[in-house]
Short mmCIF file of all heavy atoms in Angstrom, two decimals:
data_model
loop_
_atom_site.label_atom_id
_atom_site.label_comp_id
_atom_site.label_asym_id
_atom_site.label_seq_id
_atom_site.Cartn_x
_atom_site.Cartn_y
_atom_site.Cartn_z
N VAL A 9 213.84 154.12 72.80
CA VAL A 9 213.24 155.29 73.45
C VAL A 9 214.12 155.78 74.60
O VAL A 9 214.32 156.99 74.77
CB VAL A 9 211.82 154.95 73.96
CG1 VAL A 9 211.31 156.03 74.91
CG2 VAL A 9 210.87 154.80 72.79
N ILE A 10 214.66 154.86 75.37
CA ILE A 10 215.53 155.26 76.46
C ILE A 10 216.75 156.01 75.93
O ILE A 10 217.11 157.08 76.44
CB ILE A 10 215.97 154.02 77.28
CG1 ILE A 10 214.79 153.48 78.09
CG2 ILE A 10 217.14 154.37 78.20
CD1 ILE A 10 215.09 152.19 78.82
N LYS A 11 217.36 155.48 74.89
CA LYS A 11 218.57 156.08 74.35
C LYS A 11 218.31 157.43 73.68
O LYS A 11 219.05 158.40 73.89
CB LYS A 11 219.22 155.13 73.34
CG LYS A 11 220.53 155.65 72.72
CD LYS A 11 221.15 154.63 71.80
CE LYS A 11 222.45 155.14 71.19
NZ LYS A 11 223.48 155.35 72.23
N GLU A 12 217.23 157.50 72.88
CA GLU A 12 217.00 158.68 72.05
C GLU A 12 216.13 159.74 72.71
O GLU A 12 216.25 160.93 72.39
CB GLU A 12 216.36 158.26 70.72
CG GLU A 12 217.21 157.30 69.89
CD GLU A 12 218.54 157.91 69.49
OE1 GLU A 12 218.62 159.15 69.32
OE2 GLU A 12 219.51 157.13 69.33
N LYS A 13 215.25 159.37 73.62
CA LYS A 13 214.30 160.32 74.20
C LYS A 13 214.54 160.60 75.68
O LYS A 13 214.42 161.75 76.13
CB LYS A 13 212.87 159.80 74.02
CG LYS A 13 212.47 159.55 72.58
CD LYS A 13 212.40 160.83 71.78
CE LYS A 13 211.88 160.55 70.37
NZ LYS A 13 211.83 161.80 69.54
N MET A 14 214.86 159.55 76.44
CA MET A 14 214.94 159.72 77.89
C MET A 14 216.32 160.13 78.37
O MET A 14 216.44 161.00 79.25
CB MET A 14 214.47 158.43 78.58
CG MET A 14 213.05 158.05 78.22
SD MET A 14 212.48 156.48 78.96
CE MET A 14 212.30 157.01 80.67
N ILE A 15 217.37 159.54 77.81
CA ILE A 15 218.73 159.91 78.21
C ILE A 15 219.01 161.40 77.99
O ILE A 15 219.62 162.05 78.86
CB ILE A 15 219.78 159.04 77.48
CG1 ILE A 15 219.71 157.59 77.97
CG2 ILE A 15 221.18 159.60 77.66
CD1 ILE A 15 220.08 157.38 79.42
N PRO A 16 218.59 162.01 76.86
CA PRO A 16 218.85 163.44 76.68
C PRO A 16 218.14 164.33 77.70
O PRO A 16 218.51 165.49 77.86
CB PRO A 16 218.32 163.71 75.26
CG PRO A 16 218.41 162.39 74.57
CD PRO A 16 218.07 161.38 75.62
N ALA A 17 217.12 163.80 78.39
CA ALA A 17 216.34 164.62 79.32
C ALA A 17 216.88 164.58 80.75
O ALA A 17 216.35 165.23 81.64
CB ALA A 17 214.89 164.15 79.32
N THR A 18 217.95 163.82 80.98
CA THR A 18 218.51 163.70 82.33
C THR A 18 220.01 163.43 82.24
O THR A 18 220.51 163.02 81.19
CB THR A 18 217.83 162.54 83.09
OG1 THR A 18 218.38 162.45 84.41
CG2 THR A 18 218.03 161.21 82.37
N GLU A 19 220.72 163.66 83.31
CA GLU A 19 222.14 163.30 83.36
C GLU A 19 222.33 161.91 83.95
O GLU A 19 223.42 161.35 83.90
CB GLU A 19 222.93 164.33 84.17
CG GLU A 19 223.02 165.70 83.51
CD GLU A 19 224.00 166.62 84.22
OE1 GLU A 19 224.48 166.22 85.31
OE2 GLU A 19 224.29 167.70 83.69
N ASP A 20 221.27 161.35 84.50
CA ASP A 20 221.35 160.09 85.22
C ASP A 20 221.18 158.89 84.28
O ASP A 20 220.69 159.02 83.15
CB ASP A 20 220.25 160.05 86.28
CG ASP A 20 220.59 159.14 87.44
OD1 ASP A 20 221.59 158.41 87.36
OD2 ASP A 20 219.83 159.14 88.44
N ASP A 21 221.58 157.71 84.77
CA ASP A 21 221.26 156.47 84.07
C ASP A 21 219.74 156.31 84.04
O ASP A 21 219.02 156.84 84.90
CB ASP A 21 221.87 155.26 84.77
CG ASP A 21 223.38 155.32 84.85
OD1 ASP A 21 224.00 156.02 84.03
OD2 ASP A 21 223.95 154.66 85.75
N VAL A 22 219.25 155.55 83.08
CA VAL A 22 217.80 155.34 82.94
C VAL A 22 217.51 153.85 82.80
O VAL A 22 218.16 153.15 82.03
CB VAL A 22 217.23 156.09 81.73
CG1 VAL A 22 215.76 155.73 81.51
CG2 VAL A 22 217.36 157.60 81.91
N SER A 23 216.53 153.38 83.55
CA SER A 23 216.08 151.99 83.44
C SER A 23 214.56 151.96 83.51
O SER A 23 213.94 152.75 84.23
CB SER A 23 216.69 151.12 84.54
OG SER A 23 216.50 151.71 85.81
N VAL A 24 213.98 151.04 82.76
CA VAL A 24 212.51 150.87 82.72
C VAL A 24 212.21 149.38 82.62
O VAL A 24 212.88 148.65 81.88
CB VAL A 24 211.88 151.60 81.51
CG1 VAL A 24 210.37 151.34 81.45
CG2 VAL A 24 212.16 153.10 81.58
N ALA A 25 211.22 148.92 83.36
CA ALA A 25 210.75 147.54 83.27
C ALA A 25 209.22 147.55 83.27
O ALA A 25 208.61 148.28 84.06
CB ALA A 25 211.27 146.70 84.43
N ILE A 26 208.62 146.77 82.38
CA ILE A 26 207.16 146.77 82.21
C ILE A 26 206.63 145.35 82.31
O ILE A 26 207.20 144.42 81.72
CB ILE A 26 206.74 147.37 80.85
CG1 ILE A 26 207.40 148.74 80.64
CG2 ILE A 26 205.22 147.51 80.78
CD1 ILE A 26 207.20 149.29 79.22
N LEU A 27 205.53 145.19 83.03
CA LEU A 27 204.82 143.93 83.15
C LEU A 27 203.39 144.13 82.68
O LEU A 27 202.73 145.08 83.09
CB LEU A 27 204.81 143.45 84.60
CG LEU A 27 203.83 142.36 85.00
CD1 LEU A 27 204.22 141.02 84.37
CD2 LEU A 27 203.73 142.22 86.51
N TYR A 28 202.90 143.24 81.80
CA TYR A 28 201.49 143.26 81.42
C TYR A 28 200.86 141.93 81.79
O TYR A 28 201.37 140.86 81.42
CB TYR A 28 201.32 143.48 79.91
CG TYR A 28 199.91 143.25 79.44
CD1 TYR A 28 198.88 144.10 79.82
CD2 TYR A 28 199.59 142.15 78.63
CE1 TYR A 28 197.57 143.86 79.42
CE2 TYR A 28 198.29 141.91 78.23
CZ TYR A 28 197.27 142.77 78.63
OH TYR A 28 195.98 142.52 78.24
N CYS A 29 199.79 141.98 82.55
CA CYS A 29 199.01 140.80 82.93
C CYS A 29 197.70 140.83 82.18
O CYS A 29 196.91 141.76 82.35
CB CYS A 29 198.76 140.77 84.43
SG CYS A 29 200.25 140.59 85.43
N GLY A 30 197.47 139.81 81.35
CA GLY A 30 196.26 139.77 80.53
C GLY A 30 195.16 138.96 81.15
O GLY A 30 195.23 138.52 82.31
N GLU A 31 194.10 138.74 80.36
CA GLU A 31 192.97 137.92 80.81
C GLU A 31 193.43 136.49 81.05
O GLU A 31 194.34 135.99 80.39
CB GLU A 31 191.86 137.94 79.74
CG GLU A 31 191.26 139.31 79.48
CD GLU A 31 190.14 139.64 80.45
OE1 GLU A 31 189.97 138.90 81.44
OE2 GLU A 31 189.45 140.64 80.22
N ASP A 32 192.77 135.82 81.99
CA ASP A 32 193.08 134.41 82.21
C ASP A 32 192.77 133.62 80.93
O ASP A 32 191.74 133.83 80.29
CB ASP A 32 192.23 133.85 83.36
CG ASP A 32 192.61 134.47 84.68
OD1 ASP A 32 193.71 135.03 84.77
OD2 ASP A 32 191.80 134.42 85.62
N GLU A 33 193.68 132.73 80.58
CA GLU A 33 193.51 131.95 79.37
C GLU A 33 192.76 130.66 79.67
O GLU A 33 192.77 130.16 80.77
CB GLU A 33 194.87 131.63 78.74
CG GLU A 33 195.58 132.87 78.22
CD GLU A 33 196.89 132.55 77.54
OE1 GLU A 33 197.53 131.53 77.90
OE2 GLU A 33 197.29 133.29 76.62
#
């Protein structure tokens, strides 16, 4: 997604980081 969708929308480098915290196990 970064390469094909986000990079064409800007001239800048792009970085994304995602964290998901679920229910206590």
Side-chain angles (χ1 to χ4, degrees):
V9 167
I10 289 175
K11 181 177 180 64
E12 300 298 330
K13 302 293 185 181
M14 301 178 72
I15 291 295
T18 180
E19 292 190 352
D20 206 351
D21 299 337
V22 173
S23 51
V24 177
I26 308 171
L27 164 69
Y28 169 68
C29 295
E31 297 275 10
D32 293 341
E33 293 183 331

